[in-house]
Structure formats: C-alpha cells, structure tokens
Amino acid sequence: MPELRIETKGTEVWVRYDGEITFDVVEDLKARMETVFAAPHWKTLIFDLEGVDFLDSSGIGFFVILNNRCSQSGQKLIL
C-alpha cells in the first residue's frame, strides 16, 4: 500500500496519501484512519489529495464516510 502520512498541527490533523484510492485500498485506509478518530483534541481533518493519482467510486465513498464521521463528531473535513 502506498504511504499514508498523518501529522497533527495544533487542532488540525493533516493526512497525506500518495497513490490510487480504489476498492483495493479503501478498507485499509478506513482502518488506519481509526487512529485519527481515536486521537483527542483535533477539530479539522485536512486530507491532502495532491499525491492521489486516481479515485474510483470506492474512494469517493471513503470520503463520504470520513465526512459523515467528522460531522457526527463535530469536526470538519477539508479535501
């Protein structure tokens, strides 16, 4: 799986991913994002898509899930 980098800057969590977000990697991405949701004191999740080469419908669904999860927790998702 391509590299997923997670960095906390104050109340922001920056996630950087390089590669394709497809059906093959979405389940692993969801599992790895659990570490973000388990961390306290952040308000904004910024998912940097600069290194993403391709996004299929599973990838779009992944971001819908992230957005819903953030909204339910009173947090914000920025792509």
Side-chain angles (χ1 to χ4, degrees):
M1 175 173 195
E3 186 177 359
L4 177 74
R5 295 174 307 281
I6 301 170
E7 181 180 356
T8 302
K9 298 178 183 179
T11 61
E12 298 176 344
V13 176
W14 285 76
V15 178
R16 291 179 177 87
Y17 181 80
D18 296 323
E20 296 182 350
I21 301 179
T22 62
F23 178 80
D24 296 331
V25 299
V26 164
E27 289 305 314
D28 189 43
L29 282 174
K30 286 180 195 175
R32 293 174 70 186
M33 290 303 297
E34 286 302 315
T35 61
V36 172
F37 287 101
H41 309 300
W42 63 272
K43 297 189 183 295
T44 306
L45 172 60
I46 301 168
F47 203 109
D48 184 349
L49 296 172
E50 184 177 354
V52 174
D53 303 312
F54 179 76
L55 183 71
D56 70 4
S57 60
S58 297
I60 293 168
F62 167 71
F63 288 114
V64 169
I65 289 168
L66 277 185
N67 187 56
N68 290 343
R69 185 99 184 257
C70 286
S71 294
Q72 291 169 356
S73 303
Q75 297 152 327
K76 183 176 170 183
L77 173 65
I78 297 174
L79 301 178

